[in-house]
Every structure is written in C-alpha cells, then in structure tokens.
Amino acid sequence: SHLLVPEAAPRVLAAMANASASLPELETKLATDANTVLDGVLDLNVSMATLAGKWDVLMKLRSRLLMMHGVAADQAKYPSNASTKSPAAASFPPAMMLAWQAAMMGGGKEDDFKSQLQTEVSKRAKRTLTKGELIYTHTPDESSKPALYTATVHGTSEGLLKQPYSSSEPVSGKRAAEHAAAKVALEAEFGFVFDGKVPATPAPPAEAGKDPRTRLTNGAHLLLGRPLAKGEVVYATRPAEPSEGKGFVCTSSIPAHDPS
C-alpha cells in the first residue's frame, strides 16, 4: 500500500521547521535568501513570477526577524497588498535596488567584504551587531586627482576586532576603500584567503595578509604575543638622499619589542 501525501505537505513541514528555527538560524537564512534573490535578478532566465515569489518570502522573513528584535509590529509588518501587485511591480524595483547596491559595493556577493566581515564578527560574538559597532574612517590621498582614499575599520565594542585594520593602498571612492579594509580584517582575523576558497581552519595570522604592511602587523602580533595597540608599529618617512635616488624612504620599527 502507498501513503498519499497532500501536495501542500512539503510547504507545511517547511513552515513548521521555520517556526522553530532560532534567531541565528533565521538571520543566516535571511542572508542566504537575499543572495538567492540577487542571483535571480542577475539571471535573466529566471521568470519575473518566480522572482516575485522569492521576494515575498524574503520580505516576510525580514519582517519576522524585525519583530524578534523588538521592532513594533506595525513598523515591521510586510504590506499586505505587496503580493497582490503584478510580479514586475511587486519585485523588480526593490530587487533591482539590491543589484544596484551590489554593483556600487564593487561587485557581487563575493566582493562584499563589509557584509562578510559583519557576518563573521557576529558569529564569533554570538550575537547580532548593532549599528556603529564596526565603523570605517577614511583618509584621502591629497596628492591624487581625482581623490583616492584609504579606509580603516574599527570595532567600537570590546573584543569585536583585535585591532584596527587599514586598506593597503589608496583606491577610488570611500566605499571601495571600506571594502578593502574589511578584506584585510577578514584575512587577518578569520583566515580568509580570497582565491575562491575559505580554508577549513584559519590560516596563521602571519600568512593571512598578502601585502607587506599587513604581514608586518601580523608578525608583530605573533612576536609580542598579544593584540597590537594603535601606533605600536611605527613608520618614519623621509625624502630620499641623492645617493638613494628619487622619492621617499620609509623605516618601520616595533618599539615594544626593540626600543632601539
């Protein structure tokens, strides 16, 4: 004999599983579903009706998470008439906004280093970060026209980051500089190696950074056996002597290790 399963049963079972999911599990699902929607926007083989359905599911999940975080129901609720619009009207403008935001951040989800850093720090802290706990400061390169920027990412709460991390070279635009700084932090603190793979276990800090300045900082961290405070790796720059050629000469030192 065969057991007949109603057609709606898989959806009911999925809803029951979703109802019992924990907050971190739902937040992970939100990030995954958002990436799925973005992939659907960029894949022109995905129908607008399918995209509209995925968008509705994503927004309802977001609404649920907002209420779990204490946002008032009238502010968190997904508009009841949103799914009654045509697929194009219901999903295309916001989904296109997602694609536009991804492009402005320097590419697809693989290049969104700020979001990756936010996710990794949240997982390590075992809580959701609040706005302003990871901040980015910018330094313009006055000699470049148009202006280029470097950025530094700081953790404003104790234990979020071991130290500030700066982008290795000036780039065009503050947003691109922020992503470059987040990439350095991911490499240094979480062992990310950006060749399309993430190692199963984090790489040693001294190998995580690819640029010389980051490698020196990570080496000093190992040498001193503790996180570095700002300014513990000192850089002194001077104009080159005639015998040294044109440009500048920079000397680095770690006074906490060798005061001389």
Side-chain angles (χ1 to χ4, degrees):
S1 62
H2 298 282
L3 177 64
L4 298 179
V5 180
E7 183 179 350
R11 292 195 297 271
V12 172
L13 292 173
M16 291 172 63
N18 191 39
S20 61
S22 67
L23 182 60
E25 290 172 334
L26 291 177
E27 289 174 338
T28 299
K29 179 172 172 54
L30 180 70
T32 301
D33 289 358
N35 284 329
T36 300
V37 170
L38 176 58
D39 289 342
V41 172
L42 300 177
D43 184 355
L44 299 182
N45 293 313
V46 177
S47 70
M48 293 300 293
T50 299
L51 199 56
K54 291 181 181 297
W55 177 258
D56 282 348
V57 171
L58 178 66
M59 289 296 96
K60 288 171 183 175
L61 176 58
R62 186 175 187 272
S63 174
R64 180 181 173 189
L65 275 167
L66 287 172
M67 287 188 281
M68 291 175 73
H69 278 289
V71 176
D74 59 335
Q75 298 178 19
K77 186 178 179 181
Y78 184 46
S80 58
N81 64 341
S83 60
T84 62
K85 300 177 182 178
S86 67
S91 70
F92 196 68
M96 280 299 294
M97 183 61 72
L98 280 175
W100 176 81
Q101 289 174 339
M104 290 296 290
M105 289 188 292
K109 60 187 178 185
E110 292 83 4
D111 294 327
D112 185 2
F113 301 118
K114 288 179 63 178
S115 292
Q116 289 185 58
L117 180 60
Q118 184 94 2
T119 298
E120 293 302 322
V121 173
S122 294
K123 286 197 289 189
R124 185 166 67 182
K126 298 182 179 179
R127 63 179 178 82
T128 302
L129 301 189
T130 58
K131 184 177 180 180
E133 285 196 284
L134 288 182
I135 62 171
Y136 293 82
T137 56
H138 313 92
T139 303
D141 181 358
E142 303 291 350
S143 64
S144 61
K145 299 294 181 182
L148 300 178
Y149 296 88
T150 56
T152 301
V153 57
H154 311 257
T156 59
S157 298
E158 185 177 357
L160 293 184
L161 292 176
K162 295 175 182 177
Q163 62 181 64
Y165 293 94
S166 299
S167 49
S168 57
E169 59 185 20
V171 295
S172 177
K174 293 181 179 180
R175 187 182 296 274
E178 291 175 358
H179 282 285
K183 180 181 177 182
V184 172
L186 284 165
E187 291 176 330
E189 298 221 357
F190 298 98
F192 275 67
V193 179
F194 291 101
D195 57 0
K197 298 179 181 178
V198 178
T201 56
E207 299 177 3
K210 295 180 180 179
D211 62 279
R213 185 166 180 168
T214 300
R215 292 176 64 187
L216 175 60
T217 300
N218 290 332
H221 167 78
L222 289 176
L223 190 64
L224 298 176
R226 58 174 173 79
L228 300 185
K230 185 176 181 180
E232 284 202 279
V233 178
V234 179
Y235 294 89
T237 304
R238 60 173 175 80
E241 299 291 341
S243 61
E244 296 171 321
K246 297 181 179 180
F248 296 84
V249 175
C250 181
T251 303
S252 61
S253 60
I254 309 171
H257 173 64
D258 184 358
S260 62

